[in-house]
């Protein structure tokens, strides 16, 4: 697979704030790339720079083979952007909004109308196309925003927190749309989010913290590296001390959480032999797989 | 080009769909109309009939009053044309402030459209809507005046009114756009709208004739473009009515009246010629345009 975005030593300083401080990464064609970080880590700044909204302080960026800063107009034609906040006009109908946004890319009216038809089919907007944008529900609005970004069939779709503030069902539907787009249209999807379970569906993820890129990898490798599985056990009355001694002897560390003991284990299977040994001493147990949340908290050091 | 047209159309639609914005942009005009209808109109008519009685010898009082009423109506109309040119463009440019506030501007900047075209589309929308409302006002006013037995204006005069209105609207739109570049929030723009809406009646010497303002204030007004805009408009609108009303009256009295009512503007003892007034207005427009050009350039270098 070829690289569709290459970022080298990208920096953005605002007066004394180093919003983005020397980051490098690349995105492959057709992949779903997750860009994570806490609020204020520099995700939006990075995405805005990639979308040509403002120039970097220094660094080199290549998008679809065009160089950022020199061929911005070409880049703009090849990318679609869904911004963090809704940008369409509330008082205009969905169709009017789509026509306007589309006309900024496509000057042939007939082609434009075809594009609108196609996009509405993909995003299931046919039912709401004649309604004023402002009257739609949050999920419908979001789908319209994505539709506008797709009108000119971009090579790369940038989404800045596309699912923030949506209910779980809507979030799911937005995600299945994104997956569909990526598969069927072979589109590269670059998105930022702070829902970790969403990030787990990406092909690659990069995690930013305070302007720096701190981790890059597939969700799987990052989980392997940073998320520990956990075994929770509830000891029978009076058996707690005995279990603790046993764990100490076997070299397990553990934390006490009220009635339960939490034991980090390398993988879920390794809970089996331990459980067999202590089965007579416990009332119940729970094995918890490491999540992306753990990865994220571990990396950004928010868990103290 | 088609991108520019779509953007302009969008700005117009966004403004026209917002019924309250339309209403408030016309509020100053309604206030002027109310004031004139309630008492200022009568006062102005009486000051004319007083002059006529004093200098005209034996006269047909009823006819004088009719002529004077018509003159005051045209005088008021001239004022309205300028008030609207100012307040309507101000409201339309407000769309840009809102767009900047809601980060919609970024979504336009992200599309392959030159930023100057986007700026131009706001100014053009202000000009189009400004002209639309001015012409509507003119049409309704002429309809009212001729329905109440007044004399119609000649085609030549109407053409001149159209030309001056276009000039006023263009210049005010540019000045308003310049102001908008300094404003960061919609509420601040609302504040400006309130101030301008209140002051325009005084600054253009529409609520009170020039002659009844304190000398100091009147002198300051002569350096503000609005007064010259109204003056030009009044000269055209009132010319025919003045000739009928002040038939057989000494020229000095007419000149005095014209100065008193802000129809002609006297600076340094001589009447300011039309050409000078037009030049002054255009210079204000050009100055504002230069400020816009410099600010936009500086903005694009230091971005945001």
């Amino acid at each position: 697979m070829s690289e569709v975005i290459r970022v080298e030593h990208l920096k953005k300083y605002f007066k004394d704030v180093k919003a983005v401080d020397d980051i490098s990464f690349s995105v492959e064609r057709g992949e779903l790339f997750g860009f994570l970080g806490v609020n204020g880590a520099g995700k939006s700044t990075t995405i805005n720079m990639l979308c040509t909204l403002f120039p970097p302080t220094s660094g080199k960026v290549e998008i679809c083979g065009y160089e950022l800063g020199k061929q911005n107009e070409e880049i703009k034609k090849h990318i679609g952007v869904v911004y963090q906040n809704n940008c369409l006009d509330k008082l205009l109908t969905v169709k009017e909004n789509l026509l306007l946004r589309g006309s900024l890319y496509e000057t042939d009216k007939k082609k434009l109308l075809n594009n609108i038809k196609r996009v509405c089919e993909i995003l299931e907007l046919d039912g709401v196309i004649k309604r004023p944008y402002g009257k739609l529900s949050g999920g419908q609005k979001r789908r319209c925003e994505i539709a506008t970004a797709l009108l000119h069939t971009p090579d790369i779709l940038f989404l800045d927190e596309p699912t923030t503030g949506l209910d779980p069902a809507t979030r799911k539907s937005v995600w299945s749309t994104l997956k569909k787009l990526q598969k069927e249209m072979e589109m590269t999807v670059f998105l930022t989010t702070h829902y970790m379970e969403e990030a787990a569906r990406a092909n690659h993820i990069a995690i930013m913290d305070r302007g720096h890129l701190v981790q890059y990898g597939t969700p799987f490798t990052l989980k392997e590296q940073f998320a520990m599985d956990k075994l929770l056990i509830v000891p029978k009355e009076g058996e707690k001390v005995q279990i603790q001694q046993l764990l100490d002897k076997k070299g397990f560390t553990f934390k006490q959480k009220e009635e339960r003991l939490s034991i980090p284990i390398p993988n879920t299977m390794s809970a089996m032999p331990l459980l067999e040994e202590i089965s007579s001493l416990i009332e119940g147990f729970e094995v918890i797989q490491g999540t992306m949340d753990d990865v994220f908290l571990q990396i950004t050091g928010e868990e103290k | 080009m088609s991108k520019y047209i779509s953007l302009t159309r969008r700005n117009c639609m966004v403004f026209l769909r917002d019924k309250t914005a339309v209403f408030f942009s016309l509020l100053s005009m309604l206030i002027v109309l109310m004031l004139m209808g309630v008492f200022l109109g009568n006062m102005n008519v009486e000051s004319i009939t007083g002059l006529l009685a004093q200098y005209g010898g034996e006269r047909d009082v009823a006819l004088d009053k009719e002529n004077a009423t018509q003159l005051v109506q045209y005088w008021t109309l001239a004022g309205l044309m300028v008030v609207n040119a100012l307040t309507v463009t101000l409201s339309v440019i407000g769309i840009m402030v809102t767009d900047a506030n809601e980060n919609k501007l970024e979504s336009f900047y992200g599309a392959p459209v030159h930023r100057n075209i986007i700026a131009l589309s706001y100014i053009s929308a202000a000009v189009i809507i400004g002209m639309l409302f001015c012409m509507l006002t003119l049409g309704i006013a002429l309809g009212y005046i001729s329905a109440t037995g007044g004399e119609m204006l000649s085609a030549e005069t109407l053409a001149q009114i159209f030309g001056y209105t276009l000039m006023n609207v263009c210049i005010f739109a540019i000045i308003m756009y310049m102001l908008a570049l300094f404003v960061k929030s919609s509420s601040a723009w609302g504040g400006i709208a309130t101030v301008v809406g209140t002051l325009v009646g005084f600054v253009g010497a529409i609520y009170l004739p020039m002659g009844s303002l304190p000398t100091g204030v009147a002198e300051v007004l002569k350096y503000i473009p609005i007064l010259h805009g109204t003056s030009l408009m009044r000269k055209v609108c009132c010319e025919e009515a003045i000739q009928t009303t002040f038939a057989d009256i000494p020229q000095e009295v007419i000149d005095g009246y014209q100065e008193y009512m802000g129809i002609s503007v006297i600076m340094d003892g001589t009447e300011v010629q039309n050409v000078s007034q037009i030049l002054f207005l255009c210079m204000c427009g050009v100055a504002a345009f230069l400020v816009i050009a410099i600010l936009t350039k500086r903005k694009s270098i230091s971005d945001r």
Side-chain angles (χ1 to χ4, degrees):
Chain A
M1 279 205 285
S2 60
E3 286 176 350
V4 69
I5 302 177
R6 198 168 66 231
V7 177
E8 285 168 10
H9 304 294
L10 185 68
K11 288 178 193 165
K12 180 73 193 177
Y13 297 167
F14 293 109
K15 286 180 187 148
D16 47 352
V17 184
K18 294 181 175 179
V20 174
D21 197 7
D22 197 2
I23 64 170
S24 304
F25 62 89
S26 60
V27 179
E28 281 163 12
R29 187 174 294 280
E31 78 168 339
L32 202 153
F33 188 86
F35 204 54
L36 314 184
V38 289
N39 295 329
K43 295 176 305 227
S44 291
T45 311
T46 308
I47 225 172
N48 285 345
M49 278 193 282
L50 297 184
C51 302
T52 75
L53 280 184
F54 46 80
T57 309
S58 72
K60 197 180 158 198
V61 178
E62 222 172 74
I63 295 174
C64 299
Y66 300 105
E67 199 180 327
L68 186 76
K70 287 181 184 156
Q71 293 162 301
N72 282 0
E73 291 304 305
E74 284 304 316
I75 292 177
K76 283 179 187 173
K77 282 180 201 159
H78 285 87
I79 60 171
V81 191
V82 178
Y83 295 90
Q84 205 164 354
N85 50 324
N86 291 338
C87 292
L88 298 181
D89 295 309
K90 293 195 186 87
L91 295 169
L92 306 188
T93 65
V94 174
K95 187 161 187 191
E96 284 165 338
N97 268 307
L98 289 175
L99 271 172
L100 162 76
R101 301 291 169 150
S103 70
L104 302 180
Y105 293 89
E106 178 59 68
T107 42
D108 184 342
K109 182 100 188 249
K110 212 168 146 195
K111 270 191 201 161
L112 177 57
L113 286 172
N114 269 335
N115 286 347
I116 291 179
K117 211 173 137 205
R118 179 180 50 82
V119 167
C120 286
E121 255 166 46
I122 299 174
L123 290 158
E124 292 155 20
L125 286 175
D126 290 318
V128 297
I129 192 143
K130 292 207 173 92
R131 294 182 56 198
Y133 175 74
K135 298 245 165 93
L136 303 184
S137 72
Q140 288 169 329
K141 278 184 184 159
R142 223 55 210 148
R143 287 217 303 273
C144 292
E145 298 278 338
I146 297 174
T148 53
L150 290 176
L151 278 176
H152 57 292
T153 36
D155 293 334
I156 312 172
L157 182 64
F158 286 97
L159 300 111
D160 198 354
E161 295 183 8
T163 53
T164 305
L166 298 181
D167 67 59
T170 321
R171 223 153 77 199
K172 215 168 168 184
S173 90
V174 169
W175 262 92
S176 59
T177 317
L178 289 179
K179 274 281 184 194
K180 199 163 86 184
L181 287 172
Q182 187 214 352
K183 275 218 182 86
E184 289 172 13
M185 300 171 73
E186 294 176 351
M187 198 174 279
T188 313
V189 179
F190 183 113
L191 60 87
T192 72
T193 176
H194 40 221
Y195 292 110
M196 293 308 133
E197 68 273 37
E198 290 188 344
R201 303 198 206 180
N203 297 95
H204 281 104
I205 52 186
I207 302 181
M208 275 193 90
D209 189 27
R210 294 177 211 115
H212 299 277
L213 196 68
V214 281
Q215 274 303 329
Y216 170 85
T218 63
F220 182 73
T221 55
L222 288 180
K223 254 197 223 173
E224 286 277 284
Q225 206 179 338
F226 293 101
M228 284 293 256
D229 295 338
K230 265 185 293 191
L231 172 64
L232 290 180
I233 51 174
V234 185
K236 279 184 183 159
E237 273 206 33
E239 307 285 9
K240 206 183 210 169
V241 183
Q242 206 183 332
I243 293 177
Q244 285 176 352
Q245 281 168 354
L246 195 86
L247 288 172
D248 276 337
K249 210 169 75 188
K250 289 196 156 278
F252 284 102
T253 55
F254 58 86
K255 268 191 240 162
Q256 194 158 340
K257 287 183 178 169
E258 287 149 33
E259 286 309 296
R260 298 174 304 174
L261 293 176
S262 165
I263 309 153
I265 46 177
N267 52 54
T268 46
M269 283 310 285
S270 58
M272 297 282 281
L274 180 64
L275 281 172
E276 265 168 37
E277 226 168 299
I278 56 172
S279 61
S280 58
L281 306 174
I282 56 173
E283 253 174 50
F285 71 92
E286 197 178 350
V287 181
I288 299 171
Q289 233 182 348
T291 62
M292 284 307 292
D293 278 333
D294 299 332
V295 176
F296 186 72
L297 293 174
Q298 180 103 29
I299 292 174
T300 56
E302 295 286 309
E303 193 177 48
K304 286 190 181 119
Chain B
M1 191 63 190
S2 66
K3 294 175 185 176
Y4 160 70
I5 293 172
S6 334
L7 278 171
T8 310
R9 189 169 56 209
R10 176 257 176 191
N11 295 337
C12 293
M13 284 205 303
V14 168
F15 179 77
L16 291 175
R17 294 267 168 95
D18 189 351
K19 300 285 184 307
T20 44
V22 172
F23 174 75
F24 281 108
S25 74
L26 297 174
L27 192 62
S28 294
M29 170 175 86
L30 298 176
I31 291 173
V32 173
L33 276 178
M34 254 153 51
L35 287 176
M36 287 296 158
V38 176
F39 58 93
L40 293 182
N42 262 338
M43 245 167 61
N44 289 332
V45 171
E46 275 159 20
S47 82
I48 298 173
T49 47
L51 275 177
L52 294 178
Q54 199 178 338
Y55 296 98
E58 283 293 300
R59 296 189 68 90
D60 180 348
V61 179
L63 181 68
D64 274 352
K65 193 166 183 204
E66 204 177 290
N67 284 337
T69 310
Q70 213 186 104
L71 173 55
V72 170
Q73 280 170 346
Y74 276 120
W75 182 82
T76 310
L77 171 62
L80 291 183
M81 298 294 284
V82 178
V83 168
N84 274 348
L86 191 73
T87 54
V88 174
T89 51
L90 181 131
S91 294
V92 180
I93 293 292
I95 297 173
M96 192 208 44
V97 180
T98 316
D99 283 353
N101 250 293
E102 294 175 356
N103 298 330
K104 283 182 187 169
L105 213 47
E106 283 170 17
S107 69
F108 289 123
Y109 287 163
V113 193
H114 200 280
R115 290 188 186 201
N116 291 349
I117 293 204
I118 298 171
L120 197 61
S121 76
Y122 287 112
I123 298 180
S124 310
V127 171
I128 292 170
I129 305 270
M131 279 310 277
L132 178 73
F133 281 119
C134 283
M135 288 303 123
L136 275 177
T137 311
L138 182 68
I140 293 170
L142 289 180
Y144 173 79
I145 293 174
S146 57
T148 50
E151 199 111 339
M152 233 353 229
L153 297 171
S154 68
E156 195 191 336
T157 312
L158 286 176
Q160 271 183 335
I161 294 177
F162 184 84
Y164 282 145
T165 309
L166 187 61
M167 181 184 75
N168 280 338
V169 168
C170 289
I171 288 167
F172 291 146
I174 292 172
I175 294 176
M176 288 306 153
Y177 188 85
M178 182 199 73
L179 277 184
L181 289 180
F182 291 99
V183 175
K184 294 278 181 284
S185 73
S186 297
S187 52
W189 191 250
I192 291 187
T194 315
V195 173
V196 170
T198 317
L199 283 185
V200 62
F202 293 104
V203 176
I206 295 160
Y207 294 157
L208 292 171
M210 273 295 272
S212 48
L213 293 172
T215 336
V217 177
E219 281 307 310
V220 172
L221 292 189
K222 289 175 186 170
Y223 294 94
I224 294 177
I226 298 168
L227 179 69
H228 294 281
T230 18
S231 153
L232 280 169
M233 195 65 82
R234 282 170 182 158
K235 280 181 203 166
V236 188
C237 289
C238 301
E239 200 187 1
E240 291 163 29
I242 285 181
Q243 273 169 14
T244 5
T245 314
F246 287 99
D248 314 324
I249 295 287
Q251 188 60 37
E252 298 90 70
V253 178
I254 302 180
D255 289 346
Y257 176 76
Q258 291 199 349
E259 191 194 349
Y260 177 80
M261 294 301 280
I263 297 173
S264 58
V265 178
I266 311 284
M267 283 171 97
D268 296 330
T270 49
E271 190 189 328
V272 185
Q273 294 299 305
N274 283 4
V275 187
S276 321
Q277 289 183 314
I278 293 173
L279 267 179
F280 175 65
L281 281 169
C282 289
M283 266 160 50
C284 289
V286 171
F289 186 79
L290 287 179
V291 174
I292 294 171
I294 293 167
L295 277 183
T296 328
K297 195 149 200 195
R298 195 182 292 170
K299 235 181 195 175
S300 70
I301 292 169
S302 73
D303 43 80
R304 353 180 99 181

